[in-house]
Amino acid sequence: MALEEATGRDKDVLLAAQKNPDALGGAFKGAQARGGKLGAAATQHLLEAARVALSGEARDAAWALRVLNGLPAVAGPVKPPADVLGLLASAVGARAPEEVRIAAAEALLRYSPSEGVTAVGKQLAEPTTPEGVKVGFLLVCAASNVKDAQALARDALKDVPYRVAVPIGLSFAGTKDGAGTLLTAVKEGKAPARLLQEKAILERLK
């Protein structure tokens, strides 16, 4: 949507963004803080800004991923274009900071679950993927509402060190579907039974 087609808050957001590149991110944060909703024009502008940022430096990519992962809360259902999804898939497997790769996995699972599961699964099976990145991927998968992503985290529970299994179990316990997956995994011997003795996990399961 062009600026001349925008009205109200959207027009204010786009006008501010033209004057200051950081204003768009500021408007996004403001909408988050207020619990308000962005309209179509501002949403599309944010998606375009995120696309450009994902193609740039890691710092810019980190900003884009914060926007993409928070956008549904302030804009409702969002469908990024295919090139943005492609950039997210590339970021999952890129030689980038851990937080960028993990946030990219979260965004890809949110917007294109099948692509997200494929990209994350490939990196989990890759011996050169750093341990910290793998753990981050598993936490994102456990907290996801995507069944195939949850399965990746569930299947890893029996092989990871217990210190890693605990935060994964905590992520599972944070959602209704995840809690069911965790309880079933323990029942079937696919996860350590003592996870259900962890106070933090028990609190979330109540």
Side-chain angles (χ1 to χ4, degrees), residues 7-26:
T7 59
R9 182 186 300 166
D10 281 352
K11 189 167 185 176
D12 292 339
V13 169
L14 300 186
L15 281 169
Q18 283 186 347
K19 297 176 182 177
N20 177 3
D22 293 331
L24 196 59

Side-chain angles (χ1 to χ4, degrees), residues 103-184:
E106 181 182 355
L108 193 56
L109 284 169
R110 182 189 306 277
Y111 293 114
S112 182
S114 60
E115 290 182 81
V117 169
T118 298
V120 170
K122 181 178 178 180
Q123 292 304 310
L124 288 173
E126 175 57 57
T128 60
T129 302
E131 189 65 25
V133 173
K134 287 187 176 183
V135 172
F137 285 163
L138 291 173
L139 292 174
V140 166
C141 286
S144 169
N145 60 1
V146 178
K147 289 292 186 182
D148 288 342
Q150 288 187 358
L152 288 175
R154 179 202 64 209
D155 293 345
L157 277 172
K158 62 182 183 297
D159 299 319
V160 299
Y162 186 72
R163 60 180 172 76
V164 175
V166 171
I168 293 174
L170 194 60
S171 289
F172 270 129
T175 67
K176 183 178 180 180
D177 287 345
T181 298
L182 176 62
L183 292 172
T184 300

